[in-house]
Amino acid sequence: MTRPAPGAGPLVGAHMSAAGGLVRAVERAVDAGCRTLQVFTKSSNQWNGKPVVAGEAAAFRKAAADAGLAPLVSHSAYLINLASPDPVVRTRSVGALVDEVERCNANGIPYLVLHPGSHGGDGEEAGLDRIARGLDEAAAKSPASGTTVLLETAAGQGACLGHDFAQLAAILARSDSRPRLALCFDTCHVHAAGYDVVTRDGWGRTLEELDAACGLGLVKVIHANDSKKERGCRVDRHERIGHGTIGLKGFANLMTEPAFEKVPKILETPKDEEGKWDREGLAALRKLSRRKAAT
Ligand code: MN
Ligand code: MN
Ligand code: ZN
């Protein structure tokens, strides 16, 4: 397996398990040939993680820097729901978000991906207001944070918000902590939400719509995931690059998009034990980036 020279080629990477410690995630990323890395800094389905140990955080920062992995990205826990109808859940969510932000600061991670949240039946307007307020409360509790929170485009399952670019724009407009907010564009979710990322014209229209709503410059991280389900299904099922309903044609749009050239593209696709599927996914993205945009 030939490993690309550090710094060569497109800015691609993967979400890696931090089992055994965050330094192990760096090792896994290096093995796969990543230039960028996403991790959970704590268990993704628990409210509370172990406190960050300063020595471990320093070791992670050094390992990532030595491996040339940048930017580093963290994905926040799935339990966080700033839009919840339940005030207890909202309060816990704000606390957990502050903890995630502090973990990022300690570990030298500039970007934290967050699912906007589910309104749980209370309706879109109430949900969008709560998300904006929750973001502001969390920002007030971590005033010195250098971490940017990235609202992730959603597939639109159930009452989840953020599947429509206008919803993301509304959250940004209603929040007072806008300088600390940006976006994560997940190809599987955008496709599942109904936007066309597959055809050349559709890709152009989708990006125009995102640009008009939020500004393309706000996209700081891309999750490069193919989709098991068809466009517009509103179901979130990731597939390996080129094995799903987006296919290589869709990822050619992504990898040749000038507006996203410097934006990290991170796999969150199914893995095999040996890491072969990640290496294949990254190789597929690299190959597509060398291709001229199809017409
Ligand atoms: Mn996500
Ligand atoms: Mn994602
Ligand atoms: Zn997803």
Side-chain angles (χ1 to χ4, degrees), residues 19-84:
L22 280 172
V23 169
R24 286 287 295 121
V26 171
E27 292 165 6
R28 292 177 179 113
V30 168
D31 281 345
C34 293
R35 289 189 57 201
T36 175
L37 165 66
Q38 178 177 282
V39 291
F40 295 119
T41 64
K42 57 185 272 295
S43 169
S44 60
N45 46 26
Q46 283 173 11
W47 286 106
N48 300 306
K50 287 185 301 179
V52 175
V53 177
E56 287 174 17
F60 171 68
R61 288 200 304 267
K62 182 173 189 308
D66 288 350
L69 295 172
L72 298 169
V73 181
S74 173
H75 196 297
S76 56
Y78 296 126
L79 295 173
I80 295 178
N81 182 9
L82 299 177
S84 174

Side-chain angles (χ1 to χ4, degrees), residues 117-119 154-161 163 189 192-193 229 233-237:
S118 163
H119 63 69
Q157 293 195 141
C160 288
L161 294 165
H163 59 89
H189 299 177
K229 307 275 181 177
C233 63
R234 306 274 294 258
V235 175
D236 180 8
R237 295 283 181 279

Side-chain angles (χ1 to χ4, degrees), residues 241-258:
I241 303 296
H243 292 247
T245 58
I246 295 177
L248 295 179
K249 200 167 166 236
F251 288 99
N253 294 329
L254 173 69
M255 297 309 295
T256 56
E257 172 56 51

